[in-house]
Amino acid sequence: MAERLASSASLLPASPSPSTRRAAAAAVASFPSCSGSARTGLRLRPSPSRFSQKAAGRGRGGAGGGLRVVRCMAASDAGQLKSAREDIKEILKTNYCHPILIRLGWHDSGTYDKNIEEWPLRGGADGSLRFDPELSHGANAGLTSALKLIQPIKDKYPGITYADLFQLASATAVEEAGGPKIPMKYGRADITSPEQCPPEGRLPDAGPRIPAEHLREVFYRMGLDDKEIVALSGAHTLGRSRPDRSGWGKSETKYTKDGPGEPGGQSWTAEWLKFDNSYFKDIKEQRDQDLLVLPTDAALFEDPSFKVYAEKYAEDQEAFFKDYAEAHAKLSNLGAKFDPPEGISLDDDKGDAPVEEKKVADADPAPADDNNGAASQPEPFVAAKYSYKKTELSDTMKQKIRAEYEGLGGSPEKALQSNYFLNIMIVIAGLAFLTSLLGS
């Protein structure tokens, strides 16, 4: 981690102090961690990464004098978002990267400051994490691997913003790991240049001096409350912490030594790729030394206000899922600039209603008016319509059926009542059957 910070020091306003570096390293473990794709010693280039070169060019081009115009990309295409979601599901099946994709979305939106109104200065879900200045923050160690995983999806679906893709990947990872359905919306605008990235230090630290106070300081700044802090902490049911990246956890345990993915690290739960309420149960019991409990984790059962929710979630997974889904959706929207303002939903029924109405209309179209406004004439009786299979009725049989039809009160101008119609159908079926037997 020290090497990594040193390699990116030129990107920061000033060289951080040793204590700042240790705090930044500890912050890596504060949000869901990587399942094993990032490797130790990864260095970042001091120039904008390949994830952001095109966007950076657009952001700087044409600026003159002292005026800098902030522009944003158009809203994402709903069809491409749906297709991208399916591609993300395939990546999850083969790379076991649920934790790091959740962390990617969280860290992009978690820089939001409710006290700053101007976009993008307020931070939040705006795609800024793709730029090296923010990617180089100590709390974002290892997230280059997440970008490498989803960059091919961005290339495949250029009609999606990075801000939307990060949040789509995060929500999909939760759901595919067995977690709740997240009520997401899309249409987030992207920032366009590295200069628009938020400053370092807005993400939570895993080992602060007073954990509960620190959690409130960070999450209250985002506009979240105690219930949402505890619910979001439950996402640590997924993932692992690695001492060579964050300074926390063991190098490996009986739960992580064989993967899946890159082996090693220490997980919060035994089944660290399954989203459930095990995190709260395991912290409460603390019976297994191979399971990680950070100071901020322990604070959930030590702080009186946090403990109310932590106890509840340990006992009631359904309540945890409900509160987590709402908190995750709220976090994913923080600081975002939506186009359209109400966002785009991929899962509601509103967009399907016109299609259903059209299907009904196509199935039973209104008859064309060929009578110059006069009342439409009944369709002439055609006995062949009631023939058995492909055998055509003879003219003699047609005459007999018509005579029967008219004898019961039917005619081309007068439809039979429902009971008469049923009777005539029975007669027709019987006669057609006899005709078929005689013909064979």
Side-chain angles (χ1 to χ4, degrees):
M1 178 57 70
E3 292 180 358
R4 187 178 182 283
L5 289 172
S7 69
S8 59
S10 60
L11 301 174
L12 304 176
S15 178
S17 65
S19 61
T20 301
R21 293 186 183 184
R22 286 194 297 271
V28 177
S30 63
F31 275 7
S33 58
C34 176
S35 65
S37 298
R39 297 186 179 275
T40 308
L42 179 65
R43 292 179 178 271
L44 300 174
R45 297 187 302 276
S47 59
S49 68
R50 77 178 185 88
F51 308 114
S52 56
Q53 285 175 342
K54 293 182 180 179
R58 287 193 297 269
R60 289 190 296 267
L67 180 64
R68 179 164 60 91
V69 179
V70 177
R71 297 181 297 154
C72 64
M73 296 175 63
S76 297
D77 177 79
Q80 291 192 28
L81 282 166
K82 291 180 179 180
S83 297
R85 180 167 58 185
E86 297 307 309
D87 287 6
I88 290 169
K89 290 178 182 178
E90 293 303 314
I91 290 177
L92 292 167
K93 291 176 183 178
T94 56
N95 289 272
Y96 312 106
C97 54
H98 305 69
I100 199 171
L101 292 187
I102 296 173
R103 185 168 161 241
L104 178 68
W106 280 33
H107 280 217
D108 192 49
S109 62
T111 59
Y112 174 65
D113 188 337
K114 68 177 183 180
N115 302 308
I116 302 175
E117 294 185 4
E118 185 179 353
W119 185 92
L121 295 179
R122 64 194 182 205
D126 56 15
S128 60
L129 189 51
R130 73 190 189 275
F131 291 113
D132 275 353
E134 185 172 349
L135 195 59
S136 300
H137 293 175
N140 295 327
L143 287 180
T144 300
S145 296
L147 285 170
K148 288 180 179 178
L149 285 170
I150 66 171
Q151 183 61 39
I153 297 178
K154 182 66 175 73
D155 295 339
K156 184 177 179 181
Y157 303 108
I160 300 176
T161 62
Y162 278 98
D164 272 348
L165 183 58
F166 293 167
Q167 301 306 324
L168 176 67
S170 183
T172 303
V174 170
E175 295 166 10
E176 291 298 294
K181 181 73 175 177
I182 313 296
M184 298 291 290
K185 67 176 182 178
Y186 299 93
R188 298 169 185 80
D190 276 339
I191 67 164
T192 55
S193 70
E195 291 78 14
Q196 298 168 350
C197 289
E200 187 168 9
R202 292 187 180 181
L203 297 173
D205 183 357
R209 188 173 62 86
I210 308 177
E213 181 180 310
H214 172 73
L215 287 174
R216 288 192 173 95
E217 179 183 355
V218 171
F219 285 94
Y220 282 12
R221 187 207 70 227
M222 301 182 204
L224 302 174
D225 59 24
D226 285 0
K227 182 177 75 171
E228 291 161 335
I229 292 172
V230 179
L232 290 170
S233 297
H236 274 147
T237 191
L238 299 177
R240 302 168 285 179
S241 178
R242 296 177 180 274
D244 56 348
R245 297 175 192 167
S246 68
W248 294 92
K250 299 178 179 179
S251 58
E252 72 173 24
T253 68
K254 60 178 177 285
Y255 302 116
T256 65
K257 63 180 182 179
D258 297 320
E262 183 183 354
Q266 186 175 13
S267 59
W268 284 263
T269 62
E271 295 183 87
W272 48 270
L273 286 177
K274 179 182 179 182
F275 197 102
D276 56 19
N277 66 337
S278 296
Y279 168 78
F280 298 104
K281 293 180 178 179
D282 292 336
I283 293 176
K284 182 178 180 180
E285 297 174 356
Q286 295 193 32
R287 296 178 181 175
D288 193 334
Q289 296 300 313
D290 270 349
L291 296 180
L292 180 63
V293 179
L294 297 171
T296 46
D297 300 321
L300 302 183
F301 282 91
E302 295 170 353
D303 180 86
S305 178
F306 289 160
K307 185 177 181 179
V308 172
Y309 302 107
E311 293 275 7
K312 178 182 179 181
Y313 298 153
E315 298 297 326
D316 190 344
Q317 179 169 287
E318 184 176 347
F320 166 52
F321 274 24
K322 176 181 179 297
D323 291 348
Y324 177 84
E326 293 173 355
H328 185 122
K330 182 176 180 179
L331 176 65
S332 74
N333 295 337
L334 295 181
K337 183 177 182 180
F338 284 95
D339 181 15
E342 68 275 11
I344 303 167
S345 175
L346 303 185
D347 301 303
D348 62 19
D349 296 326
K350 295 179 181 178
D352 296 335
V355 177
E356 293 300 322
E357 292 174 2
K358 185 177 186 300
K359 287 182 180 178
V360 172
D362 290 345
D364 189 18
D369 185 5
D370 296 327
N371 300 304
N372 297 321
S376 60
Q377 299 299 316
E379 181 183 358
F381 176 80
V382 181
K385 288 185 177 182
Y386 303 98
S387 62
Y388 181 72
K389 293 184 179 180
K390 295 183 179 180
T391 305
E392 178 69 31
L393 294 177
S394 65
D395 292 336
T396 301
M397 183 61 68
K398 293 177 184 178
Q399 292 174 5
K400 289 181 179 180
I401 292 174
R402 180 168 187 135
E404 289 287 340
Y405 182 79
E406 293 178 344
L408 294 172
S411 71
E413 293 78 26
K414 180 181 178 182
L416 289 174
Q417 297 182 7
S418 59
N419 57 336
Y420 287 152
F421 185 74
L422 177 61
N423 291 335
I424 195 64
M425 289 295 295
I426 294 173
V427 172
I428 291 171
L431 292 174
F433 179 72
L434 291 174
T435 302
S436 177
L437 291 178
L438 292 174
S440 61

